[in-house]
Amino acid sequence: MDRKLLIAANWKMNPVPDGAFEQDSPYKTHSAVDVYVFPTFLDLPASIESKIITGAQFGRAEETGAFTGDVSMQMIKEAGCIAVLCGHSDRRAFHGESNEDVAAQAIAALEAELHPIVCFGETEEERDSGKAENVIKAQLKPLPTESDIILAYEPIWAISRGDPNKPAATSEDAQEMHAFIRSQLPEDKRESTRILYGGSMKSENAQELLTQPDIDGGLVGGASLKPDDFRKIVETAIKLTTNN
Ligand code: PEP
């Protein structure tokens, strides 16, 4: 089955990159490749108005209530978003989100008719001690994988690697884990579920990663803040799609 590549830009808590909301923005989507952008909450309206496919970086599972500082999935949908990140490693680390919290967010996102992009992945220590697959199984277990969700495998040890001596995951490492993740999905969703890779994807390694059979796109952090780099990643994805 052909799974359409998706390149998602996670701007985290950073200002909007130069020119992102202008006419020739590299963040606009394409017919051949989906491009989604995840700005801060404050920048969502401008992103939506610029006709960019926009998502929120977090949404709370409850619809309303005494949850100071949070925003519900329904509110995100009503604002005009298409998607939402659930369980990014920053949220798991800094806000203590558990696997069950993340699953509740994904379910609430589906109920609000948002596309949940569920992030998960092992730490360096877990990988080095041979526990990566078990950690991932536990992260996947409570998720509504029988529904149409998008997964983003983001090995924590590979995120934001600027140091050339500590490279991102190789395409072989990533492919091996993506194939394992796919094998854990319900049989009728195994072929159709998109599994993105996240962890220092940039213009230099995008082609190698995106040609792996079980990698269906990228969740891009650092390189998504550099419009020229991001444009190259999207162009690579378009080239790979149209050459096939
Ligand atoms: C991320 O934090 O989701 C991410 C993938 O970041 P980076 O691309 O900078 O590794």
Side-chain angles (χ1 to χ4, degrees):
M1 177 185 281
D2 280 343
R3 293 179 296 267
K4 191 175 183 186
L5 291 178
L6 164 58
I7 307 296
N10 177 14
W11 291 343
K12 311 187 192 185
M13 198 176 74
N14 290 293
V16 174
D18 284 347
F21 296 157
E22 280 159 29
Q23 194 56 33
D24 69 338
S25 166
Y27 301 96
K28 288 205 168 140
T29 200
H30 294 264
S31 53
V33 168
D34 287 331
V35 179
Y36 292 3
V37 172
F38 295 85
T40 66
F41 278 115
L42 297 179
D43 293 317
L44 292 177
S47 180
I48 293 161
E49 267 166 42
S50 320
K51 308 263 181 284
I52 282 170
I53 308 285
T54 304
Q57 297 175 11
F58 161 75
R60 196 168 176 104
E62 291 83 353
E63 270 181 46
T64 52
F67 302 108
T68 304
D70 287 355
V71 173
S72 75
M73 297 296 178
Q74 199 57 45
M75 290 166 181
I76 290 167
K77 174 71 179 180
E78 279 163 17
C81 286
I82 299 287
V84 62
L85 298 182
C86 301
H88 188 278
S89 59
D90 291 341
R91 302 278 325 169
R92 292 179 189 255
F94 303 135
H95 296 267
E97 290 181 9
S98 66
N99 293 338
E100 287 67 30
D101 295 332
V102 174
Q105 291 166 23
I107 292 164
L110 290 167
E111 282 168 4
E113 297 183 359
L114 288 165
H115 296 299
I117 301 189
V118 182
C119 310
F120 59 97
E122 78 284 3
T123 63
E124 188 156 29
E125 201 189 337
E126 287 162 346
R127 185 177 181 84
D128 291 348
S129 56
K131 295 190 190 131
E133 291 193 351
N134 281 342
V135 168
I136 281 164
K137 273 191 189 171
Q139 291 171 327
L140 290 175
K141 195 162 180 251
L143 294 179
T145 48
E146 70 290 350
S147 300
D148 290 332
I149 66 172
I150 300 168
L151 298 174
Y153 170 59
E154 298 207 297
I156 293 168
W157 51 273
I159 292 179
S160 301
R161 285 283 164 114
D163 179 350
N165 297 318
K166 289 181 178 171
T170 63
S171 49
E172 291 79 19
D173 289 334
Q175 167 54 28
E176 199 182 316
M177 292 308 283
H178 278 237
F180 170 72
I181 294 159
R182 199 173 297 290
S183 76
Q184 300 301 301
L185 299 178
E187 215 172 305
D188 62 335
K189 287 290 173 190
R190 220 168 269 166
E191 283 306 305
S192 59
T193 301
R194 290 191 282 188
I195 309 175
L196 314 185
Y197 168 78
S200 305
M201 182 181 277
K202 33 187 162 250
S203 52
E204 293 84 355
N205 62 6
Q207 166 138 354
E208 214 186 299
L209 287 162
L210 295 174
T211 43
Q212 300 305 314
D214 290 298
I215 298 184
D216 308 312
L219 179 54
V220 188
S224 78
L225 295 168
K226 300 178 196 150
D228 290 342
D229 269 23
F230 190 73
R231 191 185 295 280
K232 285 188 196 147
I233 296 173
V234 173
E235 282 171 357
T236 299
I238 293 173
K239 196 178 75 198
L240 292 172
T241 302
T242 47
N243 283 352
N244 267 337

